Each structure stands twice: as C-alpha cells, then as structure tokens.
Amino acid sequence: MPPALTATLRQQRLGTELRKLRERAGLSSTAAAALLGGPQARISNIEAGRYAVSADRVRALAHNYSCADVAYVDALAAMTGGRKRGWWDEYRDTLPSGLLDLAELEDRAEALRVAVTVHMPGLLQTPEHARATMREAVPPLRPYEIEHRVSYRVKRQAVLFEGTPTPYTAIVHEAALRMGFGGPDITRAQLRHLLEMSEQPTITVLVIPFGQTGFPAAGQPITLATGPVSQLDTVVLDTDHGCEFLDAEAQLDRYRSVLDRMKSSALPEPKSRDLIHHIAGNQ
C-alpha cells in the first residue's frame, strides 16, 4: 500500500477514532494487526493517518473491535480514501497547515457554532475589517501575507452561501462590537454587514451584552464543528500559536456546555440585532 500524501486533519481524525475503538476493545496494535492479517506497522500507519484506508477496511476493523454503533461506523467509512484537493490547497505554500485544516473542517461540517469575545467571527467579517485586524498581528505580517490571509478568509465564507448553506450560529460579546478595528468607517460597515448576515435564514447572531453576571468562556474564539454523528464533532480554539483542534470526548462535552451557557447569557435574536444597530449608529 503506497503512502498517502501529507495527512490532513480528516485523515488523522479517522486514525484517531480507529485507535479509540481498538483501545476500548482492549487490543494492542499487534493483536489488531493479527486479526486483520497484516503487520503491526499497518495498524500504526492507519492510526497515524499516514495511509489511505478503504471503507471496507474500516468496517472490518470496527467489526474486529466489536463496535455495534452502525451510524458511527458508517460515518467513519465515509471518511475514507486518499487526500482530495480542495480550494484551500492553493494556499498550502503560503499559510500554516492549521488554517488549511480549519477550512476543510468548515467545508465538511454539518453545522458550525462559534463564540467570540474580541474579534468578529471570521466567516462574518468584511475584507476591510479582516485586513485591519491582521495589521495588528504580532509579529507583523507583510502586506502580501495579509492579502493571502484576507482572500483565504473570504473564500472560507462560501460555506454560508454556496450549495446547501451550513447552519451557522455566532455568539458575539458586546466587546467585539465596540473594538473599532480600522476606525469608525470600517467598524460601521462591519456592523452593518453583521446585521445583514443575521437576516439570512441559516445564520444566527446572538450578542452577550455588557453587564451580564455570568460569562463561562476563557476569552479565545471557540468553534464547534458538528460532524455526521456526535462522536465526530470537533472543537477549534483560535490561540496565539495557531488553531488547536480538540476531539476527546471530555473536551467536546466541556465546550458544548460552554457554548450552551454562553448562548443562555446572550440576548435573543431581535434584541441582539437592536444592540448591533444601536452601536453601528454611534460609530
């Protein structure tokens, strides 16, 4: 079996899930390889996402691991195959791999939930606002690097409009609405764009106003990408050192709860729009 190209987040996640199934079954990689009729290295390479694996092999492994969750196994089988090129691959030589993995994750998600405290949600930013925030990067980005990232961010937004739009919920703290990146004109245009996006049937924007007594988030942007089954959900934390992808069951449960609590602290949609409109009018 020839090695695959550099493993994507999707291939790595498939390998991780197969490893979880093997460990739950109490099997070593050597014992799993014996059941499959191959060398131990094959199991290690599959679990590391280094080799493409067929749907039939995934089903065989799941059977060997006594997994009876049909929906879960079907979802794993659907993740198989070699790496397929997406529009994000054109940025492979210019952007960090974590950003490319984020674009692929958004492209394949069943739904997206996002919470932000200081910056606008990336998928709802205008190019001018995105450019203004990127000028604040430390260390500073060169002008051409900023333009690469702006075009990448705009292309990511296609998941909200093209084909079957991905349902998208953004929980935005009032602080993000008042940051003023780029000055009054850019901020006003960004807030009006946010209002327009909130009118789309598949986009929900909720604002947490100043004065709320409860706020469970730590401050970094959070994205929950919903998979075809709950076991394949993924949390993305936007940190200073790049995207951090979480898929452990306890981590998924924690951030689902965080997002639920943030939603409960937010204003309902009509009042959220009223607050955005009020802040835009004062720019």
Side-chain angles (χ1 to χ4, degrees), residues 5-274:
L5 297 174
T6 303
T8 65
L9 180 72
R10 181 179 175 83
Q11 289 172 306
Q12 293 171 11
R13 180 62 181 278
L14 175 59
T16 296
E17 295 300 316
L18 292 173
R19 176 182 54 77
K20 290 177 184 176
L21 286 179
R22 175 178 60 77
E23 291 175 346
R24 286 185 195 131
L27 294 174
S28 67
S29 57
T30 301
L35 288 173
L36 196 63
Q40 183 274 338
R42 179 175 297 173
I43 295 294
S44 297
N45 284 322
I46 289 173
E47 292 180 356
R50 288 190 290 265
Y51 280 171
V53 58
S54 69
D56 286 343
R57 177 148 293 174
V58 165
R59 295 183 187 281
L61 288 167
H63 175 77
N64 291 344
Y65 301 155
S66 302
C67 179
D69 189 333
V70 175
Y72 178 43
V73 174
D74 286 347
L76 293 178
M79 296 172 68
T80 58
R83 182 168 70 81
K84 297 179 181 178
R85 290 184 63 84
W87 64 261
W88 46 86
D89 280 294
E90 67 185 83
Y91 294 90
R92 193 157 295 278
D93 295 329
T94 57
L95 294 180
S97 60
L99 291 180
L100 309 185
D101 289 334
L102 174 61
E104 182 178 19
L105 184 68
E106 291 171 340
D107 183 73
R108 298 179 183 276
E110 301 284 325
L112 293 164
R113 279 204 290 167
V114 176
V116 294
T117 55
V118 177
H119 294 92
M120 293 289 180
L123 297 188
L124 301 180
Q125 290 183 11
T126 66
E128 294 76 19
H129 180 89
R131 194 173 286 112
T133 61
M134 290 173 192
R135 291 194 183 107
E136 303 298 324
V138 179
L141 297 169
R142 297 173 182 175
Y144 74 87
E145 292 175 318
I146 291 175
E147 293 310 311
H148 279 311
R149 291 181 183 234
V150 170
S151 66
Y152 154 83
R153 184 161 295 181
V154 170
K155 288 182 180 179
R156 281 172 52 208
Q157 296 172 359
V159 299
L160 303 182
F161 307 104
E162 295 183 355
T164 302
T166 303
Y168 185 80
T169 299
I171 305 169
V172 183
H173 197 280
E174 184 177 346
L177 306 179
R178 296 185 180 275
M179 283 301 294
F181 288 105
D185 291 342
I186 288 177
T187 299
R188 188 183 306 111
Q190 171 61 59
L191 292 172
R192 289 174 178 169
H193 178 71
L194 190 64
L195 283 170
E196 292 174 5
M197 294 301 97
S198 71
E199 299 288 350
Q200 299 295 319
T202 56
I203 297 176
T204 301
V205 177
L206 304 173
V207 177
I208 299 176
F210 285 133
Q212 284 286 30
T213 56
F215 185 66
Q220 79 272 36
I222 303 168
T223 297
L224 174 63
T226 301
V229 293
S230 61
Q231 297 98 312
L232 296 180
D233 289 355
T234 304
V235 166
V236 187
L237 303 182
D238 187 358
T239 71
D240 288 339
H241 56 269
C243 295
E244 184 176 351
F245 298 90
L246 308 178
D247 56 44
E249 184 177 349
Q251 293 168 326
L252 293 175
D253 286 343
R254 177 192 175 194
Y255 282 101
R256 289 188 192 108
S257 296
V258 167
L259 289 168
D260 288 343
R261 289 178 60 191
M262 291 183 74
K263 182 179 179 180
S264 69
S265 298
L267 298 171
E269 289 184 74
K271 290 187 177 181
S272 292
R273 282 193 282 268
D274 287 345

